[in-house]
mmCIF file with all atom_site columns, all heavy atoms in Angstrom:
data_model
loop_
_atom_site.group_PDB
_atom_site.id
_atom_site.type_symbol
_atom_site.label_atom_id
_atom_site.label_alt_id
_atom_site.label_comp_id
_atom_site.label_asym_id
_atom_site.label_entity_id
_atom_site.label_seq_id
_atom_site.pdbx_PDB_ins_code
_atom_site.Cartn_x
_atom_site.Cartn_y
_atom_site.Cartn_z
_atom_site.occupancy
_atom_site.B_iso_or_equiv
_atom_site.pdbx_formal_charge
_atom_site.auth_seq_id
_atom_site.auth_comp_id
_atom_site.auth_asym_id
_atom_site.auth_atom_id
_atom_site.pdbx_PDB_model_num
ATOM 1  N N   . ALA A 1 95  ? 109.875 24.332 19.617 1.00 94.00 ? 95  ALA A N   1
ATOM 2  C CA  . ALA A 1 95  ? 108.687 24.659 18.869 1.00 94.00 ? 95  ALA A CA  1
ATOM 3  C C   . ALA A 1 95  ? 108.675 26.183 18.486 1.00 94.00 ? 95  ALA A C   1
ATOM 4  O O   . ALA A 1 95  ? 108.235 26.555 17.364 1.00 94.00 ? 95  ALA A O   1
ATOM 5  C CB  . ALA A 1 95  ? 107.440 24.385 19.745 1.00 94.00 ? 95  ALA A CB  1
ATOM 6  N N   . ALA A 1 96  ? 109.145 27.039 19.369 1.00 95.00 ? 96  ALA A N   1
ATOM 7  C CA  . ALA A 1 96  ? 109.164 28.480 19.080 1.00 95.00 ? 96  ALA A CA  1
ATOM 8  C C   . ALA A 1 96  ? 110.047 28.787 17.911 1.00 95.00 ? 96  ALA A C   1
ATOM 9  O O   . ALA A 1 96  ? 109.752 29.701 17.119 1.00 95.00 ? 96  ALA A O   1
ATOM 10 C CB  . ALA A 1 96  ? 109.603 29.221 20.336 1.00 95.00 ? 96  ALA A CB  1
ATOM 11 N N   . VAL A 1 97  ? 111.116 28.044 17.698 1.00 95.00 ? 97  VAL A N   1
ATOM 12 C CA  . VAL A 1 97  ? 112.081 28.284 16.585 1.00 95.00 ? 97  VAL A CA  1
ATOM 13 C C   . VAL A 1 97  ? 111.536 27.644 15.316 1.00 95.00 ? 97  VAL A C   1
ATOM 14 O O   . VAL A 1 97  ? 111.670 28.236 14.257 1.00 95.00 ? 97  VAL A O   1
ATOM 15 C CB  . VAL A 1 97  ? 113.443 27.794 16.955 1.00 95.00 ? 97  VAL A CB  1
ATOM 16 C CG1 . VAL A 1 97  ? 114.340 27.701 15.759 1.00 95.00 ? 97  VAL A CG1 1
ATOM 17 C CG2 . VAL A 1 97  ? 114.053 28.595 18.033 1.00 95.00 ? 97  VAL A CG2 1
ATOM 18 N N   . THR A 1 98  ? 110.957 26.420 15.392 1.00 94.00 ? 98  THR A N   1
ATOM 19 C CA  . THR A 1 98  ? 110.725 25.675 14.195 1.00 94.00 ? 98  THR A CA  1
ATOM 20 C C   . THR A 1 98  ? 109.294 25.771 13.640 1.00 94.00 ? 98  THR A C   1
ATOM 21 O O   . THR A 1 98  ? 109.111 25.603 12.426 1.00 94.00 ? 98  THR A O   1
ATOM 22 C CB  . THR A 1 98  ? 111.073 24.233 14.378 1.00 94.00 ? 98  THR A CB  1
ATOM 23 O OG1 . THR A 1 98  ? 110.236 23.647 15.387 1.00 94.00 ? 98  THR A OG1 1
ATOM 24 C CG2 . THR A 1 98  ? 112.537 24.021 14.705 1.00 94.00 ? 98  THR A CG2 1
ATOM 25 N N   . GLN A 1 99  ? 108.330 26.018 14.473 1.00 91.00 ? 99  GLN A N   1
ATOM 26 C CA  . GLN A 1 99  ? 106.951 26.080 13.969 1.00 91.00 ? 99  GLN A CA  1
ATOM 27 C C   . GLN A 1 99  ? 106.742 27.246 13.063 1.00 91.00 ? 99  GLN A C   1
ATOM 28 O O   . GLN A 1 99  ? 107.268 28.328 13.359 1.00 91.00 ? 99  GLN A O   1
ATOM 29 C CB  . GLN A 1 99  ? 105.924 26.058 15.107 1.00 91.00 ? 99  GLN A CB  1
ATOM 30 C CG  . GLN A 1 99  ? 105.833 24.697 15.734 1.00 91.00 ? 99  GLN A CG  1
ATOM 31 C CD  . GLN A 1 99  ? 104.747 24.593 16.808 1.00 91.00 ? 99  GLN A CD  1
ATOM 32 O OE1 . GLN A 1 99  ? 103.971 25.564 16.981 1.00 91.00 ? 99  GLN A OE1 1
ATOM 33 N NE2 . GLN A 1 99  ? 104.710 23.536 17.535 1.00 91.00 ? 99  GLN A NE2 1
ATOM 34 N N   . PRO A 1 100 ? 105.986 27.057 11.991 1.00 86.00 ? 100 PRO A N   1
ATOM 35 C CA  . PRO A 1 100 ? 105.762 28.222 11.087 1.00 86.00 ? 100 PRO A CA  1
ATOM 36 C C   . PRO A 1 100 ? 104.942 29.309 11.689 1.00 86.00 ? 100 PRO A C   1
ATOM 37 O O   . PRO A 1 100 ? 104.309 29.125 12.682 1.00 86.00 ? 100 PRO A O   1
ATOM 38 C CB  . PRO A 1 100 ? 104.997 27.559 9.970  1.00 86.00 ? 100 PRO A CB  1
ATOM 39 C CG  . PRO A 1 100 ? 104.713 26.158 10.264 1.00 86.00 ? 100 PRO A CG  1
ATOM 40 C CD  . PRO A 1 100 ? 105.371 25.835 11.565 1.00 86.00 ? 100 PRO A CD  1
#
Side-chain angles (χ1 to χ4, degrees):
V97 168
T98 62
Q99 286 185 7

